[in-house]
Every structure is written in C-alpha cells, then in structure tokens.
Amino acid sequence: MRSQTDSAGGLRHLVTLDGLPRSLLTAILDRAESYRRIPGQPAYEGRELAAITVANLFFEPSTRTRASFDLAARRLGAHVLNLDLQSSSRVKGETMLDTIYTLEAMNTDVFVIRDSEAGMPEFLIDHVAPHVSVISAGEAHLSHPTQGLLDVMTIRTHKRRFEGLKVAIVGDIKHSRVARSTARALATLGTTDLRIVGPQRLLPGEHEFPGATRFTRIEDGIAAADVVMMLRIQKERMAEAAALDGEAYFREYGLTAKRLALAADDAIVMHPGPMNRGVEIDSAVADGPRSVIREQVNNGVAVRMAVLAAIAATLTRHRRPL
Ligand code: CP
C-alpha cells in the first residue's frame, strides 16, 4: 500500500484507517467537531476547497455517504462532479481507468470512490497523477474509512473517552467494511474491549479483528456494553442470501428494548444504515432515546468535510505556484 500521508504527515489519500496514527485520527475528529452543524443553526460555509474539484464515483448504491460527500465538498467551496454511472460511458464498456483519466483531464483533484471490487482505490492511487488524491467511500467488505471516523466521533461525543469502553458490534461482521474500519479506529484510539457478536457463519476469519472477543449469543455480547453497534445483513455479498430468514434472525439477534436492558444503563445504540427494521433492530430501539443513529449521519458530513479539508491542505502545499 502506497503511503496515505506525505513526508510532513499530511493526508494525501484515504483508503484505509490501517496504519494511520492516533494523532492524525484525533486531528481529523477535532476538525470535524468544528464543522459539525448544530440542528437548526446555519451550516458552516468555508473556502478550504476553493479551486478544488471533487468527483464522486459511486459504483455501488449509497444514500448517506454519497450525499454527505457532496454536501461536505460544497460547504467548503469545491466544484463537485457527481457522475451518474447509469448514464455514463461505463455502460458502453469504458474501463474504470479510462473514466478516471477522462475526469482527471478535466482537472479533477480528488476522486471519491465506492466500489465492490477489493483493491480498486489502491489501483487508482497507482494510476492517477501525483497531484490527485483518492478517498475510499467503501471498498468491498474491506474498508469504509470515513464511516469508521464518524462512528468514533459519535462515540467520543457521548463517552468522552476510548480507553475502558466496552463496545459490541453485532450482526453480519463477516461482510462488513464498517465493522473493520470502526474496529481499527477504536483500536488506534485505545479501546481494548471490543466484542464482535453474530451467528458463527457471519463472524469473520480467526485472523481478523485481533484482540476482539467473539460471541454467538447477543445477550452475552452486549452485557454491560457502553456502545452497541448493530449492522445490516449484507445480502448483496452473500451467496446464501435467499435462504436468510429475517424473522428468525430477529428472534435470535435483533436488538429489542429487552435485550438493550442488558447493556450499560447509559449505553448508546448505533447503526451505520441503511437499517433493516425488524431484522437487526426493532424500530422502538432505532427511534428510541438511546439511539444516536441520526447523529451518526450528521457527523458523517462533518467528518467528510474534515477529511476533504485535510487533503486539500496537503494538495495546496504541494501545488506549484502559478
Ligand atoms: N453507511 C453507509 O455507507 O450508508 P450508504 O450506503 O447509504 O452510503
């Protein structure tokens, strides 16, 4: 993996949270705090991305990530290009690389990419010009770095610490890029009690999630947890999707008010979205007083602003004077 930072430690690309130091994650979270919109108040409007062009290329469906990268870039003054892939020349057979080269020729500075193929963001880094940056908006089941950042930002807001926290991630861990990125961010920031909880067939390989404790009963996994993060069943990544019985899953693993009572009294409930209500989470919990799910969405805009601003600052430093 090519370095994601320059020689001064400035962010050049963001493909994974693996290997990024605590100081950089904390700096992004601090900057994101300053961008966070207080509901009902005007949004921050800045010029940090003035003269920067951001292209959003989503080759998998998205509501939250795509909309928030768009808003984040515009709020910081960028030119934003949202490629409509269904009506783009990719459907005529143009390769990913030719698509990228075409947009690069229009002076795109930052590519935001979501793709189901593992390795695509890194492949792009290897092929774009040296003054162009790549941000992953979700790579296969492997990585979703801005989701990991917004998750730890939300946890920090409510818990004010990472050391000593008990965090349970529940559901389809095996196919979840969110779980991988959030677990990585938590580990870097000092959380040591991470529980991954789900049916055996949806837990990842033994070598993954080092240090995490595995549970196959939700009641055991969320006991006394400070944070309960529920995950969507990723049917699109499962061969056996058709056989999955949502009602049976909910009976065994759905987060209900009764099960949530096993967690700490002040436990927060998270979900990256989109939710399958009545499959992994009961609506009464998703919309209840412990839920911070909509705060996660709000923090997503702020985190993406912070990441874009950090990358723009690095790009600007490297730009030749006109
Ligand atoms: N959490 C998340 O990535 O949501 P979207 O798929 O809607 O972007």
Side-chain angles (χ1 to χ4, degrees):
M1 170 83 201
R2 184 106 61 91
S3 175
Q4 300 184 100
T5 54
D6 69 2
S7 55
L11 196 62
R12 280 283 287 115
H13 307 282
L14 183 61
V15 168
T16 173
L17 298 179
D18 292 0
L20 294 184
R22 184 189 289 215
S23 56
L24 181 55
L25 300 198
T26 303
I28 292 171
L29 298 184
D30 291 345
R31 194 192 277 245
E33 296 279 358
S34 74
Y35 289 144
R36 176 165 39 204
R37 183 176 187 179
I38 298 162
Q41 299 289 314
Y44 176 94
E45 302 266 354
R47 301 290 297 156
E48 290 87 332
L49 267 66
I52 297 273
T53 300
V54 177
N56 289 321
L57 309 181
F58 281 71
F59 297 92
E60 279 191 316
S62 170
T63 297
R64 277 145 286 269
T65 314
R66 180 178 170 149
S68 58
F69 265 113
D70 188 1
L71 276 176
R74 288 180 203 279
R75 285 184 183 163
L76 295 179
H79 303 283
V80 183
L81 198 163
N82 289 304
L83 194 69
D84 179 0
L85 295 164
Q86 299 314 318
S87 57
S88 79
S89 286
R90 282 213 76 199
V91 296
K92 294 188 258 177
E94 186 163 59
T95 66
M96 172 73 100
L97 210 46
D98 282 334
T99 305
I100 296 291
Y101 287 152
T102 301
L103 298 175
E104 198 180 270
M106 296 178 194
N107 297 312
T108 293
D109 301 289
V110 181
F111 287 102
V112 176
I113 178 149
R114 169 174 288 193
D115 197 81
S116 60
E117 194 179 325
M120 187 56 82
E122 205 177 334
F123 174 75
L124 295 187
I125 290 175
D126 287 340
H127 288 84
V128 293
H131 58 272
V132 172
S133 292
V134 176
I135 301 175
S136 168
E139 177 190 0
H141 64 289
L142 292 176
S143 181
H144 193 348
T146 54
Q147 179 74 44
L149 288 168
L150 77 87
D151 286 344
V152 291
M153 178 178 177
T154 308
I155 292 170
R156 189 172 83 160
T157 302
H158 286 270
K159 300 298 171 190
R160 313 308 312 172
R161 69 190 203 283
F162 292 103
E163 286 89 357
L165 274 188
K166 298 176 177 60
V167 179
I169 306 182
V170 184
D172 181 4
I173 316 280
K174 182 175 172 179
H175 301 103
S176 177
R177 54 194 174 205
V178 174
R180 286 172 176 79
S181 287
T182 303
R184 167 51 54 197
L186 285 166
T188 302
L189 293 167
T191 297
T192 52
D193 188 347
L194 176 69
R195 298 106 177 258
I196 55 172
V197 187
Q200 190 62 47
R201 69 182 190 288
L202 296 181
L203 290 179
E206 288 298 326
H207 60 286
E208 292 198 88
F209 295 82
T213 315
R214 290 157 186 258
F215 293 88
T216 52
R217 286 188 75 241
I218 185 172
E219 291 80 3
D220 299 335
I222 68 172
D226 301 296
V227 176
V228 180
M229 180 184 295
M230 304 306 293
L231 297 177
R232 181 173 68 88
I233 299 288
Q234 309 233 345
K235 286 189 173 181
E236 69 274 25
R237 299 189 208 287
M238 286 181 195
E240 71 277 27
L244 199 128
D245 178 345
E247 280 180 28
Y249 182 85
F250 184 72
R251 275 196 301 279
E252 265 199 86
Y253 290 99
L255 188 63
T256 58
K258 187 172 171 204
R259 284 185 171 134
L260 182 57
L262 299 169
D265 290 343
D266 61 350
I268 56 171
V269 174
M270 303 175 69
H271 193 305
M275 286 185 277
N276 290 310
R277 292 170 181 262
V279 177
E280 67 261 2
I281 192 165
D282 190 31
S283 277
V285 175
D287 301 325
R290 309 268 203 92
S291 170
V292 296
I293 294 169
R294 287 182 210 162
E295 277 181 55
Q296 288 175 265
V297 177
N298 188 31
N299 289 341
V301 180
V303 152
R304 286 160 186 135
M305 290 168 79
V307 167
L308 286 166
I311 284 182
T314 310
L315 289 178
T316 305
R317 261 203 321 277
H318 288 269
R319 263 186 187 162
R320 281 172 296 169
L322 293 172

